[in-house]
Amino acid sequence: MKKIALAVLLASGLMAAENADYFGISFGNAELGVDLSVPGLSASTEVDDKHISFTLGHYYEDTARVWAGYSYVDTDSDVDDADAFSIGYDFILPLAENRLSLYADPVIGYTRYEEPGIDISGFHYGAQAGVIVRLIDNIEIEAGYRYLMETGSDTVNVSGIDVDIDADDLKMWYVGANLRF
């Protein structure tokens, strides 16, 4: 009987901790770096647009969280698809009585970028860092920066010359709100 009472006491203590699921929405800027090369010549360029991201995740107390997110990039050109799916595990440093926290984490996922005749979709990996400000118990504001290395590439033929197109990196600034539940 003592073992059962001890197990119930431990379980109730774990459930009382700050474990919580959350949903987040953020807005920001996304820059996709692209390298172009033909035999004997190379150049770099960036595609710069705004994005909206949706995130679902789970907090483990106030020191870590795991998340999965979808980012849609709103392009002004004739791009067919520009979006990314990522997962990450944040290491959180609570400050100021858990009302202000810093975080950093590794990120992996897949970026899809397709234009007519070009597909430089591929896997990505990198890191992000930011700050979380908890307004009330279940609402917080978040801002951060994500840097991802891209693996997508394609070769297109332009007037008989093969042009290699390689996605280099994806840089995202964002600010948004999270709802804990």
Side-chain angles (χ1 to χ4, degrees):
M1 188 64 156
K2 289 181 182 178
K3 290 181 181 178
I4 292 174
L6 181 60
V8 169
L9 182 62
L10 287 174
S12 66
L14 290 175
M15 293 174 69
E18 284 285 331
N19 292 333
D21 296 321
Y22 77 97
F23 170 76
I25 184 170
S26 62
F27 303 89
N29 186 56
E31 296 176 7
L32 177 63
V34 179
D35 294 329
L36 307 168
S37 62
V38 296
L41 183 64
S42 65
S44 296
T45 187
E46 287 189 348
V47 179
D48 187 6
D49 290 301
K50 49 193 173 294
H51 73 87
I52 182 171
S53 297
F54 303 96
T55 306
L56 284 174
H58 181 80
Y59 276 93
Y60 296 99
E61 299 185 8
D62 281 328
T63 59
R65 67 181 179 180
V66 62
W67 58 270
Y70 172 78
S71 299
Y72 172 76
V73 180
D74 184 17
T75 63
D76 296 330
S77 61
D78 59 350
V79 174
D80 294 333
D81 293 303
D83 52 12
F85 175 78
S86 302
I87 58 174
Y89 185 86
D90 293 335
F91 298 96
I92 300 173
L93 176 62
L95 305 169
E97 298 179 12
N98 291 335
R99 293 293 177 196
L100 175 70
S101 300
L102 303 176
Y103 66 90
D105 70 90
V107 178
I108 61 171
Y110 187 81
T111 301
R112 185 172 59 158
Y113 187 88
E114 300 171 359
E115 290 185 17
I118 300 172
D119 183 358
I120 54 173
S121 302
F123 290 98
H124 63 248
Y125 59 93
Q128 74 175 8
V131 61
I132 301 168
V133 178
R134 201 168 194 183
L135 301 176
I136 58 175
D137 285 343
N138 61 342
I139 297 177
E140 54 195 22
I141 302 296
E142 179 175 339
Y145 178 75
R146 184 176 300 151
Y147 182 82
L148 304 171
M149 300 298 296
E150 295 289 335
T151 62
S153 65
D154 197 3
T155 301
V156 295
N157 191 294
V158 179
S159 301
I161 299 172
D162 285 339
V163 178
D164 294 324
I165 304 168
D166 296 309
D168 185 34
D169 57 16
L170 178 61
K171 299 173 240 173
M172 302 173 86
W173 290 97
Y174 55 91
V175 63
N178 298 331
L179 173 64
R180 291 186 183 211
F181 51 94

